[in-house]
Amino acid sequence: MAGILILNGSPRAPRSNSRRYAELFAKASPVPTETVNITRTNHGELCAKAARYHDVLLVFPLYADGIPVSLLNFLKSWQDRLPPKKPRISVLINCGFYEPEQNDVAVAMIEQFCRRTGCTLGAVLKIGSGEAILDTPFVFLVRRRIRALAAAVTAGRPRVLQVTMPIPKRLFVAASAVYWENYGRRSGISKRQMQSMDIEPQPPVT
Amino acid sequence: MKLILSDHPLPLPDLGPEVRFVDLSALRIAPCTGCFGCWTRTPGRCVIRDDATAVYPLIARSEAVFYISRLCYGGYDTPMKTMLERAIPVQQAFIRLLHGETHHVQRSVAMKQATILGYGDISPAEQEIFRRLVGRNAANMNFAGYRVLFAREADLEQTVQREVTAWLAS
Ligand SMILES: Cc1cc2nc3c(=O)[nH]c(=O)nc-3n(C[C@H](O)[C@H](O)[C@H](O)COP(=O)(O)O)c2cc1C
């Protein structure tokens, strides 16, 4: 089918940054798109839907240096239910840290999925500082890169793009402290409390 | 202390009092929902009160860890990856520079030597991805040093016996 199926692989898909990135992509895409969240229970339905598309875009966050379990489990289901004509899979990944390159290993895992299954890896966009960048003046840079991603996916060009905040890392560290301090404040938690060094009371040693 | 974290039960040599063995397949651990409660609402505590809350404190205080996991697409398969995602309460939300790269500030987490054994039907490309992954983990999980090992499933028990015996003596 002409068009692009966008799958949101964030564990918090309905409230995720991935949702906002997917929306920007849908807006920028010259061809029609359909967006669906991956849940724990809809793998069968998604595999059937994906079989009707030549282009699938996976939008997801970096989790513990890799792909989140929510997406990993879907890929394991999808692997066995791919149609004979394999899709082209593009990637829009975002991570909390500054460096877009921190996403490289997760992208390599998607590439490995493609190698294992005979799918083609399409275009890739890696976003650094992805937790916060959408609510900064630098959102225009994200929009620009997402437009380039949409053009590459539509043209079937395997481009690798990346974006982050164009500020020195030390400034990013300071700005992220303010971001998280405000996040805690909304739940009535102070910066000092968030800086606690304590981890759960230790379980009794048996 | 030392910790062996495995995604399935294993026959192991006598471990002694300073070593804990955790078999993830015997535990009930739900996936992280990405709520950031462990950073911003109940710092250091996951809001999901299942068995993971007994494991991440063990990870934090171990000076040596031995992880045993099936691999999938060059990364940890679901049980180990689920646990590692649930371990982020050991970090703060706040970010620091480490070797010139941004990473989270750790809470009371011991620096550790890590031995990571990936098993299964692993291609050379997957081995390469997994080595890179563990290299990334090192910065985020306080590894002072690490070793990456691979085993075929058929050789796993033998490899674990040999490597764990050497690891206990180290
Ligand atoms: C369990 C967990 C693990 C994470 N691991 C990483 C990581 O290894 N590197 C990183 O840069 N960001 C990491 N993050 C941050 C997310 O990638 C970041 O907040 C992202 O914007 C979330 O996207 P989403 O809202 O689409 O889920 C992690 C977040 C969670 C909850």
Side-chain angles (χ1 to χ4, degrees), chain A residues 6 17-27 35 59 92:
Chain A
I6 303 174
N17 295 311
S18 295
R19 180 180 63 84
R20 297 172 70 189
Y21 292 121
E23 281 167 5
L24 291 177
F25 183 94
K27 224 180 271 171
T35 304
V59 187
L92 199 176

Side-chain angles (χ1 to χ4, degrees), chain A residues 10 12 16-18 61-65 94-97 131, chain B residues 85:
Chain A
S10 169
R12 56 177 185 181
S16 61
N17 295 311
S18 295
L62 184 69
Y63 260 39
D65 303 305
N94 91 90
C95 73
F97 293 140
E131 171 69 26
Chain B
E85 291 181 5

